[in-house]
Amino acid sequence: MAGQQFQYDDSGNTFFYFLTSFVGLIVIPATYYLWPRDQNAEQLRLKSLRRVHGRCLWYRLRLMKSQQSIVPTLKKAALLFGWAVFLLLAYKVSKLDREYQEYNPYEVLNLDPGASLSEIKKQYRVLSLKFHPDKAYAALTNEQSRQNWEMYGNPDGPGATSLAIASFLFLLSCVFLPQGTWWYRSIRYSGDQILINTTQLFMHFMYKTPNMNMKRLAMVLTAAFEFDPRSNKEATIRPTDNIEVPQLIRELGNINVKKKEPPFCYPYSLKARVLVLAHLARMDVSEELEEDQRFVVRKSPALLQEMINVGCQLTMMANSRGGFHAPRLVTIENCMKLTQMIVQGLQESKSPLLQLPHFEEEHLRYCISKKYKVRSLQDLVSLKDSDRRSMLRFLGEEKYDEVMAVLGSFPHITMDTKLQVLDDEDSNNITAGSIVTVTVTLTRKRMAVRSDSITDSSKAKTKVWQNKSKGAKKTAKSKKKKLTKKKATPAPAKTKQANGNVAGNVPVKEEEDEASDKGSDSDEGEANKDSPSERDEDSDKQSDTEVDEMGGDDEEEWEALQQSIQRRERALLETKSKVTHPVYSLYFPEEKQEWWWLYIADRRDQTLVSMPYHVCTLKDTEEVELKFPAPSKTGNYQYSVILRSDSYMGLDQIKPLKLEVHEAKAMLDNHPQWDIPDTEEEDEEQEDSDGIEESEDDDEDND
């Protein structure tokens, strides 16, 4: 800047200020984020999960890491050393003599302020024999510098600026470099920490292949740039891959190796695809490849979730703009199924029973026999304990107890749906084009394993894992039958008994009395037909009761609307933890939380009706609102509310949703509230004219 000079810190004191600030900016946040948490609490948590999750890969890796790792000790030592350096530098800075603030040329030359030039030169010659006060001598012998000192207390004048090189280094290292690193990372990654290039890759192939089978889907997944060492430093290509990967390809069989379409033919994509398929087949790989396989498997669920998001975006674009085909429902559902398969390490065609410990392929023949016909987890739960123990006779007592503990920890979800049109007078009437809201209440419980000690009364009840609609229908039918019996007309008066006598004489008399009473009532009614006062009273009472009933209904609807609004506001403000329940997965290398997808689909047209909602906070109960526009044409529609797990195979639920769309109400051009009778208009004109005449008369009187 013009008129300013820069004075550098020759003593280097400013460097200590910079160094102290720099070390403090590193040590303080590092202590907050990197200080090891309470290991005892983690050990207790793992101990509580041992009975169920003890055989899971993620559990064994976590236990091994917590027992053998010295990383927590090294972290503590490094952080304590950093704090020691920071405190030492802070003590050093507190003792520094701030020379640049206390500099005085008269004191340097041992002169009184206002000394003459000859005195200054003489004193300088004396001191120059011992010291070298050149800076002070130059400041006082120069007339301009001397005046500046006497006027401003600074030889350089009022605009001088002292700037140390260390200050610039501080700004460079603590401000500009972190900002540049953050900016570089933010432009490469999406909000879900997925490479933007990967998102664009998924969008290209989902647009190109709307109907994608499982084999093609696995190829697109493993082509993600997260597995390319050029885009991700965590991915690796080893020299031994040229030997071990072809060997795995021969064992796996047909995996489209000869496909020349990029990026499927690239080495990183081929390696990732082989490792995923080997994981699904539960094949053994070498130690080096096992490390790479864990990396690929660990990344896959997040990448598949990104594929689902991309499919939903393309579907919304197709619905709003048109011009291209949206991804088919089977493509999005295959993404969800592949997530389940990767978490459980199972192929699509395999039995869900293989998710349990100690179950092998050769054991399934005991389950699918004609005697038991157990093909799913629900079938296994519904067996009697004696039949189940007989079927699983290949398991010892300890293994059998472990299987039952794991099976009992699996989730069972009950799904209740409510269909309505919010913000409408008649919320139950669905009109063409209206916004339909389906409120789904999910309740999570554990699978209850049946035992032989169930009483007869509990046997009559519907099982936890079964749908209760059948029982509800039966009870509803029985209630209807009882009501019809109560409302049935009485038998004829004269009925013959077995002995031939006529029965029912007393009821006949009662009926005759009732008939006579009715006749008298009718006579009184005819007699009082011409009394207008009583008629008015009856009509007033009837209208009052109708108004009370309508008012009660309006109050109930208003309260329900207010409750739904408050519930939505709380949901927006409340941040729930995504830690729900740990998933039992024998071959997944990382602890996985139990999450779900919830959506509405038209399975006949293979299209999405509402976008999938990722339920990540279902610990006990969760309420989800799914919204979609009703069809533009009237009629009956059959949709499905679908709940899919992102962790377990064979626990998905599909519930039918019937939609009856009516014609939309016509808009009224002339609303009744604007219809003013002619008599009222005439009265208003008469009042206005009277007012004008009165005012004229008053004016005449005043005159």
Side-chain angles (χ1 to χ4, degrees):
M1 292 183 292
Q4 289 190 348
Q5 299 178 4
F6 295 93
Q7 180 180 354
Y8 293 95
D9 181 19
D10 298 331
S11 62
N13 291 339
T14 312
F15 174 74
F16 287 100
Y17 288 99
F18 155 72
L19 192 60
T20 305
S21 303
F22 182 75
V23 173
L25 286 173
I26 294 177
V27 169
I28 295 173
T31 304
Y32 179 78
Y33 288 106
L34 300 180
W35 187 265
R37 300 295 185 262
D38 188 8
Q39 296 297 316
N40 294 329
E42 179 66 13
Q43 290 293 333
L44 291 174
R45 189 183 77 89
L46 292 176
K47 188 176 181 180
S48 65
L49 298 175
R50 179 179 301 171
R51 183 169 180 263
V52 175
H53 300 272
R55 293 187 178 275
C56 296
L57 176 62
W58 69 265
Y59 184 89
R60 289 186 279 114
L61 292 175
R62 180 73 61 82
L63 197 63
M64 187 184 305
K65 184 177 180 180
S66 61
Q67 289 178 350
Q68 299 180 358
S69 178
I70 59 171
V71 173
T73 305
L74 294 178
K75 283 183 179 180
K76 287 183 179 180
L79 291 173
L80 291 175
F81 176 76
W83 275 102
V85 173
F86 175 70
L87 295 175
L88 182 63
L89 289 172
Y91 177 76
K92 174 73 176 176
V93 167
S94 65
K95 296 297 184 182
L96 287 177
D97 184 16
R98 301 184 179 181
E99 296 177 357
Y100 62 93
Q101 293 183 357
E102 300 175 359
Y103 172 72
N104 189 338
Y106 287 102
E107 291 183 359
V108 173
L109 295 176
N110 294 327
L111 293 173
D112 295 329
S116 63
L117 184 62
S118 60
E119 292 176 349
I120 293 171
K121 291 181 179 180
K122 181 179 178 181
Q123 185 68 14
Y124 171 71
R125 284 193 296 270
V126 173
L127 294 177
S128 62
L129 299 175
K130 297 181 179 179
F131 312 106
H132 298 278
D134 300 329
K135 186 177 179 181
Y137 176 75
L140 295 179
T141 54
N142 186 283
E143 188 65 25
Q144 183 66 33
S145 299
R146 185 173 180 177
Q147 290 179 3
N148 288 337
W149 169 260
E150 292 176 353
M151 294 177 64
Y152 305 109
N154 193 328
D156 297 324
T161 302
S162 177
L163 178 66
I165 298 178
S167 302
F168 174 74
L169 293 176
F170 173 77
L171 291 175
L172 180 65
S173 59
C174 296
V175 178
F176 297 117
L177 287 180
Q179 288 289 335
T181 305
W182 171 83
W183 174 253
Y184 177 72
R185 184 175 180 83
S186 64
I187 62 175
R188 294 179 67 238
Y189 288 86
S190 65
D192 296 327
Q193 298 302 309
I194 303 296
L195 287 170
I196 293 178
N197 292 336
T198 299
T199 303
Q200 295 173 350
L201 176 77
F202 291 164
M203 186 166 291
H204 168 74
F205 282 107
M206 294 194 82
Y207 174 79
K208 182 180 178 181
T209 314
N211 194 357
M212 198 179 298
N213 58 20
M214 196 67 74
K215 186 178 292 186
R216 175 80 173 179
L217 185 64
M219 294 175 65
V220 175
L221 168 66
T222 52
F225 288 94
E226 273 77 2
F227 305 137
D228 188 356
R230 295 172 296 180
S231 302
N232 189 3
K233 294 180 180 180
E234 296 180 19
T236 55
I237 295 292
R238 306 177 189 273
T240 55
D241 293 343
N242 297 327
I243 301 173
E244 295 180 346
V245 172
Q247 184 179 355
L248 283 176
I249 292 173
R250 287 192 295 269
E251 295 179 9
L252 287 169
N254 183 21
I255 61 169
N256 294 334
V257 180
K258 297 181 179 180
K259 198 170 186 64
K260 301 301 180 182
E261 183 181 4
F264 305 139
C265 58
Y266 293 163
Y268 83 89
S269 176
L270 182 61
K271 177 183 177 181
R273 183 159 78 251
V274 169
L275 292 178
V276 167
L277 295 177
H279 169 71
L280 296 180
R282 296 186 175 181
M283 294 172 54
D284 294 331
V285 296
S286 63
E287 293 184 1
E288 293 181 348
L289 281 182
E290 187 177 4
E291 183 179 351
D292 298 340
Q293 186 184 51
R294 291 174 184 171
F295 166 73
V296 173
V297 170
R298 193 166 52 245
K299 284 281 186 182
S300 294
L303 293 173
L304 286 167
Q305 177 62 37
E306 184 68 14
M307 293 183 73
I308 295 172
N309 296 337
V310 168
C312 295
Q313 293 174 12
L314 292 174
T315 301
M316 289 188 291
M317 291 170 60
N319 294 337
S320 59
R321 302 179 187 176
F324 65 91
H325 295 291
R328 303 285 287 173
L329 177 64
V330 66
T331 301
I332 297 176
E333 289 185 338
N334 280 341
C335 294
M336 300 177 182
K337 291 178 182 178
L338 186 56
T339 308
Q340 301 172 0
M341 293 159 54
I342 289 178
V343 172
Q344 293 298 331
L346 269 181
Q347 296 173 343
E348 185 181 13
S349 59
K350 299 299 182 181
S351 171
L353 297 174
L354 295 176
Q355 298 174 105
L356 298 171
H358 311 298
F359 268 77
E360 303 294 340
E361 287 282 350
E362 61 269 15
H363 299 148
L364 295 178
R365 59 188 178 90
Y366 298 102
C367 303
I368 61 176
S369 62
K370 294 182 180 180
K371 182 178 180 181
Y372 301 110
K373 297 180 182 179
V374 173
R375 299 181 180 273
S376 65
L377 297 171
Q378 292 83 354
D379 295 340
L380 183 59
V381 169
S382 63
L383 280 180
K384 292 182 179 180
D385 194 27
S386 57
D387 294 340
R388 189 188 307 112
R389 189 68 191 94
S390 176
M391 185 186 71
L392 303 180
R393 56 186 178 275
F394 58 88
L395 297 175
E397 288 298 329
E398 293 184 1
K399 292 183 178 180
Y400 178 79
D401 292 340
E402 183 181 348
V403 170
M404 291 300 100
V406 171
L407 185 61
S409 69
F410 276 34
H412 167 71
I413 309 296
T414 55
M415 184 168 55
D416 297 326
T417 59
K418 182 181 179 182
L419 185 69
Q420 56 185 341
V421 179
L422 297 178
D423 304 329
D424 199 351
E425 294 179 358
D426 189 1
S427 60
N428 296 323
N429 184 27
I430 300 173
T431 57
S434 61
I435 302 299
V436 182
T437 301
V438 179
T439 305
V440 184
T441 304
L442 303 174
T443 304
R444 197 262 188 199
K445 296 181 180 178
R446 293 186 175 186
M447 279 192 176
V449 180
R450 179 178 174 182
S451 62
D452 293 339
S453 60
I454 301 177
T455 61
D456 295 336
S457 60
S458 62
K459 286 182 181 179
K461 296 180 181 179
T462 55
K463 300 180 180 64
V464 176
W465 55 89
Q466 290 179 343
N467 196 348
K468 298 183 179 180
S469 59
K470 294 181 180 179
K473 289 179 181 178
K474 289 181 179 179
T475 53
K477 288 181 180 179
S478 62
K479 287 181 180 179
K480 286 182 180 179
K481 288 180 180 179
K482 291 180 179 179
L483 290 173
T484 53
K485 287 180 180 179
K486 289 181 180 179
K487 293 181 180 180
T489 56
K494 295 182 180 180
T495 56
K496 291 186 178 181
Q497 292 181 346
N499 56 6
N501 296 329
V502 177
N505 293 328
V506 176
V508 169
K509 287 184 178 180
E510 290 178 356
E511 289 177 2
E512 290 176 354
D513 295 338
E514 290 176 0
S516 63
D517 293 338
K518 289 180 181 177
S520 62
D521 293 339
S522 62
D523 294 338
E524 290 177 359
E526 290 177 358
N528 298 328
K529 187 182 291 184
D530 297 329
S531 57
S533 60
E534 293 183 1
R535 267 204 320 271
D536 294 339
E537 289 178 0
D538 294 338
S539 61
D540 291 341
K541 289 180 181 179
Q542 186 177 359
S543 61
D544 291 341
T545 54
E546 289 178 356
V547 168
D548 292 339
E549 290 178 357
M550 292 175 63
D553 294 339
D554 293 341
E555 289 179 359
E556 290 179 359
E557 291 181 1
W558 176 255
E559 289 179 0
L561 179 61
Q562 292 298 318
Q563 288 177 1
S564 64
I565 293 173
Q566 292 175 2
R567 187 166 58 249
R568 274 180 280 177
E569 290 178 351
R570 285 197 303 267
L572 290 174
L573 297 174
E574 184 180 3
T575 52
K576 295 183 179 180
S577 173
K578 292 187 176 182
V579 178
T580 56
H581 300 274
V583 174
Y584 184 85
S585 53
L586 287 169
Y587 296 94
F588 197 69
E590 191 175 51
E591 184 177 3
K592 173 79 172 62
Q593 295 299 314
E594 187 182 292
W595 296 341
W596 305 83
W597 285 292
L598 183 66
Y599 58 99
I600 302 173
D602 187 347
R603 301 186 66 82
R604 179 179 298 176
D605 294 340
Q606 282 291 303
T607 55
L608 280 172
V609 177
S610 74
M611 296 302 108
Y613 182 86
H614 204 191
V615 184
C616 302
T617 57
L618 178 57
K619 198 167 186 180
D620 297 314
T621 305
E622 187 78 11
E623 191 174 89
V624 181
E625 289 185 352
L626 302 177
K627 298 186 178 183
F628 63 92
S632 57
K633 296 181 180 180
T634 61
N636 295 324
Y637 295 86
Q638 185 71 32
Y639 293 154
S640 298
V641 182
I642 304 173
L643 179 70
R644 291 193 183 275
S645 172
D646 72 342
S647 307
Y648 293 105
M649 297 176 64
L651 297 184
D652 301 336
Q653 293 188 32
I654 300 176
K655 192 170 185 177
L657 181 69
K658 294 181 180 180
L659 203 69
E660 186 177 356
V661 181
H662 302 281
E663 188 175 356
K665 296 179 181 179
M667 297 296 294
L668 296 176
D669 296 334
N670 298 321
H671 198 274
Q673 73 182 39
W674 303 114
D675 294 340
I676 302 174
D678 296 336
T679 56
E680 293 182 3
E681 292 179 355
E682 293 175 358
D683 294 340
E684 290 177 359
E685 291 176 358
Q686 184 67 29
E687 289 176 359
D688 294 338
S689 61
D690 294 341
I692 294 171
E693 290 175 357
E694 290 176 359
S695 63
E696 290 177 355
D697 295 338
D698 294 338
D699 293 338
E700 290 177 358
D701 295 337
N702 293 330
D703 294 337

